[in-house]
C-alpha cells in the first residue's frame, strides 16, 4: 500500500466519520437495529437519501491542512486567520459552544497574538474540549517522518483554540495514533503493542508537562480534569482489548467516555479503531473493518461525529483509500476536497 493511499484514507476516514456520525451527535443511546438499518440503507444503490453535510470537525481540518500546505509547515498566524475566516463564513457548522469567543477575539485583534484569545477561555483555564484533537490528522500526515515535529505542531495548533493541558495533550495523542497507523503494516498490527507504544509516549509527554498538572482527585468525579492522565485512560483501552468481547456499554461510557472533552473522547476513538479489528456483536458491516470502526464509534452515542471522525482518521491511515466503501462515501459532502488535501499533504511532506 502506498503512503498516498494512506493519506487519502485518513482524510476520507475523518470526513466520513464526521458526515455519517453527525445525525447522531448528542444522542445518549443509539439503537443497534436503527444503526444497522442506517448503514444498510446508505449502502443500497437504489436508495435516495438526504446528503450528509460535514460539521466543524471537517471545517477545521480543512484549515489545518491548507495552512500546512501553503506555508510548507506550521504558521500560527496564518492558521488562526484561516480558522477565523472559515468560522465567520459558515458559523452554523456545529461548532462547540465556547469556541465562538476565541474566533471573536482573533478577529477583533486581527490575530496579532494567535494564542491570546484561547488563553482567556474558561476564566483563564483554557478549553479542554476535543476541538483541537478532531482536526489534527493533517499534522500527522505532514510530519509523518518526524515525530518530534508532529508533537510540537500538534501542541501549537491546539493552543490557538485549546490552551488547557488536556485539550492539547489530547490532540497530541490523536496525532500520534494517526502517525502510528500510517506506519503499521496491516498484517503486523498487534493491538496491545499499538496501545503500549502510545502509553509509553504519553507517559513521557505527561511527565514533561507535570508542572501544569491539575490535582488528581480520583476516578469517580465527573469532571474530566480529575483523571488527568491519557496514559491511564490508555491502560483502560488495553484492558478492554484483552477481554474476549467488548465490555458493556456502561463500562465504555464510564471508564473511557463519549464526551466533548478530549480526555473523554480521544482514547475512546483509539479504542474504536483497535476493537474493530475483530468482529463486534451487533455491528453488521459486510466484514469491512473500516466500516466496522465508524459504525462502532457511532454506536457508542455522545459526541458521535467527532469520535467517528477521529477513529476514521486513524483507520483510514491504517487501511488506505482502497478499503473505504464508495457506497458510503457518495453520501458525504466534500469528498473531492478531502482527496485534494491528502494529495497536497503528500506532496508537501515529501518535499519537507
Ligand atoms: P469548546 O472549546 O467550546 O469545548 C467544548 C465544550 O467543552 C465546552 O462548550 C464546554 O462545555 C466544555 N469545556 C471545555 N473546556 C472547559 C473548561 N475548562 N471548563 C468547563 N467546561 C469546559 O469547543 P470544541 O471545539 O472543543 O468542541 C468540539 C466539539 O464541538 C465537537 O464535538 C464538535 O463536533 C462540536 N459540537 C457540536 C455540537 C452541536 O450542537 N452541533 C454539540 C457538541 C459538540
Ligand atoms: Mg460532525
Ligand atoms: Mg462536529
Ligand atoms: Mg462533535
Amino acid at each position: 500500500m502506498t503512503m498516498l493511499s494512506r493519506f487519502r484514507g485518513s482524510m476520507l476516514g475523518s470526513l466520513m466519520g464526521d458526515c455519517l456520525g453527525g445525525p447522531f451527535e448528542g444522542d445518549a443511546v443509539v439503537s443497534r437495529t436503527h444503526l444497522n438499518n442506517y448503514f444498510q440503507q446508505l449502502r443500497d444503490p437504489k436508495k435516495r437519501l438526504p446528503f450528509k453535510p460535514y460539521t466543524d470537525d471537517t471545517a477545521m481540518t480543512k484549515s489545518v491542512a491548507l495552512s500546512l500546505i501553503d506555508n510548507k509547515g506550521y504558521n500560527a498566524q496564518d492558521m488562526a486567520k484561516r480558522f477565523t475566516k472559515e468560522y465567520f463564513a459558515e458559523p452554523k457548522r456545529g461548532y462547540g459552544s465556547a469556541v465562538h469567543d476565541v474566533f471573536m477575539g482573533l478577529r477583533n485583534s486581527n490575530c496579532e497574538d494567535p494564542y491570546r484569545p484561547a488563553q482567556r477561555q474558561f476564566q483563564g483555564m483554557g478549553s479542554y474540549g476535543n476541538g483541537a484533537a478532531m482536526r489534527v490528522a493533517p499534522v500527522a500526515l505532514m510530519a509523518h517522518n518526524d515525530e518530534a515535529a508532529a508533537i510540537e505542531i500538534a501542541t501549537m495548533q491546539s493552543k490557538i483554540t485549546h490552551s488547557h493541558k488536556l485539550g492539547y495533550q489530547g490532540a497530541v495523542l490523536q496525532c500520534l495514533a494517526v502517525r502510528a497507523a500510517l506506519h503499521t503494516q496491516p498484517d503486523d498490527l498487534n493491538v496491545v503493542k499499538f496501545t503500549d507504544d502510545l502509553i509509553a509516549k504519553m507517559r513521557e509527554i505527561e511527565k514533561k508537562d507535570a508542572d501544569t498538572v491539575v490535582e488528581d482527585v480520583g476516578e469517580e468525579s465527573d469532571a474530566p480534569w480529575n483523571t488527568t492522565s491519557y496514559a491511564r485512560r490508555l491502560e483502560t483501552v488495553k484492558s478492554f482489548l484483552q477481554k474476549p468481547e467488548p465490555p458493556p456499554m456502561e463500562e465504555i461510557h464510564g471508564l473511557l467516555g463519549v464526551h466533548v472533552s478530549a480526555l473523554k473522547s480521544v482514547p475512546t476513538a483509539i479504542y474504536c479503531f483497535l476493537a474493530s479489528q475483530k468482529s463486534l456483536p451487533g455491528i453488521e458491516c459486510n466484514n469491512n473493518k473500516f466500516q466496522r470502526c465508524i459504525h462502532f464509534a457511532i454506536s457508542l452515542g455522545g459526541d458521535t461525529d467527532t469520535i467517528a471522525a477521529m477513529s476514521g482518521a486513524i483507520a483510514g491511515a491504517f487501511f488506505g483509500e482502497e478499503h473505504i466503501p464508495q457506497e458510503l462515501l457518495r453520501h458525504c459532502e466534500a469528498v473531492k476536497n478531502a482527496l485534494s488535501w491528502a494529495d497536497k499533504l503528500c506532496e508537501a511532506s515529501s518535499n519537507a
Side-chain angles (χ1 to χ4, degrees):
M1 196 192 340
T2 63
M3 208 32 113
L4 179 60
S5 165
R6 289 172 178 269
F7 274 46
R8 288 180 145 220
S10 187
M11 287 295 94
L12 292 177
S14 177
L15 175 71
M16 191 190 284
D18 182 16
C19 293
L20 300 190
F24 301 89
E25 190 178 29
D27 292 358
V29 180
V30 179
S31 136
R32 285 281 155 107
T33 316
H34 177 62
L35 200 57
N36 283 327
N37 282 338
Y38 174 74
F39 274 98
Q40 206 171 18
Q41 296 204 353
L42 290 171
R43 292 195 77 135
D44 181 348
K46 294 193 287 288
K47 280 268 178 227
R48 293 244 158 263
L49 295 166
F51 195 61
K52 303 283 181 291
Y54 66 75
T55 74
D56 58 331
D57 308 67
T58 302
M60 298 202 84
T61 300
K62 169 186 165 188
S63 294
V64 172
L66 294 179
S67 182
L68 292 173
I69 292 161
D70 288 350
N71 293 279
K72 300 184 173 60
Y74 180 61
N75 176 329
Q77 208 171 42
D78 177 78
M79 201 177 280
K81 283 186 176 165
R82 285 175 199 260
F83 287 155
T84 308
K85 192 167 169 211
E86 184 73 35
Y87 174 75
F88 285 106
E90 294 188 299
K92 294 205 182 345
R93 285 279 185 185
Y95 285 83
S97 49
V99 75
H100 164 84
D101 298 344
V102 175
F103 300 129
M104 285 295 285
L106 287 171
R107 184 168 74 172
N108 292 340
S109 63
N110 197 24
C111 301
E112 198 182 356
D113 177 351
Y115 302 112
R116 187 81 195 100
Q119 290 160 0
R120 294 208 178 104
Q121 292 292 90
F122 297 96
Q123 289 87 41
M125 194 197 284
S127 173
Y128 54 62
N130 56 20
M134 73 189 183
R135 66 180 187 233
V136 82
V139 175
L141 307 187
M142 185 74 180
H144 75 95
N145 280 325
D146 185 344
E147 185 178 281
I151 293 171
E152 173 69 8
I153 301 172
T155 306
M156 297 316 289
Q157 68 84 30
S158 297
K159 289 183 176 177
I160 299 173
T161 50
H162 293 69
S163 66
H164 193 287
K165 187 179 75 165
L166 293 178
Y168 64 76
Q169 284 182 348
V172 169
L173 172 56
Q174 169 65 11
C175 181
L176 289 173
V178 174
R179 268 193 94 251
L182 278 179
H183 294 293
T184 306
Q185 291 305 320
D187 292 340
D188 293 345
L189 177 64
N190 173 329
V191 296
V192 170
K193 183 177 179 302
F194 190 97
T195 316
D196 274 334
D197 288 348
L198 290 175
I199 291 171
K201 287 177 183 169
M202 289 314 292
R203 283 233 169 87
E204 199 61 34
I205 287 162
E206 287 170 347
K207 213 178 342 172
K208 280 193 198 142
D209 259 353
D211 53 327
T212 46
V213 149
V214 192
E215 196 61 25
D216 186 349
V217 298
E219 293 283 350
E220 296 309 314
S221 168
D222 196 41
W225 63 83
N226 289 335
T227 40
T228 49
S229 166
Y230 282 96
R232 265 164 60 186
R233 296 255 157 181
L234 289 167
E235 292 285 359
T236 303
V237 168
K238 187 165 96 171
S239 74
F240 285 0
L241 292 166
Q242 286 166 325
K243 295 178 197 256
E245 296 242 320
M249 195 64 87
E250 309 77 69
E251 242 175 84
I252 300 177
H253 283 186
L255 298 178
L256 292 182
V258 290
H259 192 244
V260 294
S261 73
L263 187 69
K264 292 186 174 184
S265 58
V266 178
T268 316
I270 294 168
Y271 173 63
C272 289
F273 162 63
L274 294 171
S276 60
Q277 300 299 317
K278 291 199 299 196
S279 68
L280 294 167
I283 307 278
E284 294 164 12
C285 63
N286 303 34
N287 256 332
N288 178 295
K289 290 181 185 172
F290 174 85
Q291 181 182 331
R292 185 185 293 145
C293 169
I294 298 279
H295 190 144
F296 183 50
I298 299 173
S299 78
L300 302 179
D303 195 0
T304 48
D305 67 328
T306 303
I307 296 175
M310 294 191 292
S311 56
I314 305 169
F318 179 73
F319 291 115
E321 182 186 13
E322 294 76 9
H323 285 75
I324 300 187
Q326 281 299 326
E327 315 88 86
L328 295 181
L329 266 183
R330 73 198 161 103
H331 301 286
C332 303
E333 183 182 2
V335 168
K336 282 198 183 128
N337 300 354
L339 286 173
S340 88
W341 309 332
D343 294 353
K344 289 179 193 158
L345 282 164
C346 198
E347 205 190 314
S349 72
S350 58
N351 295 331

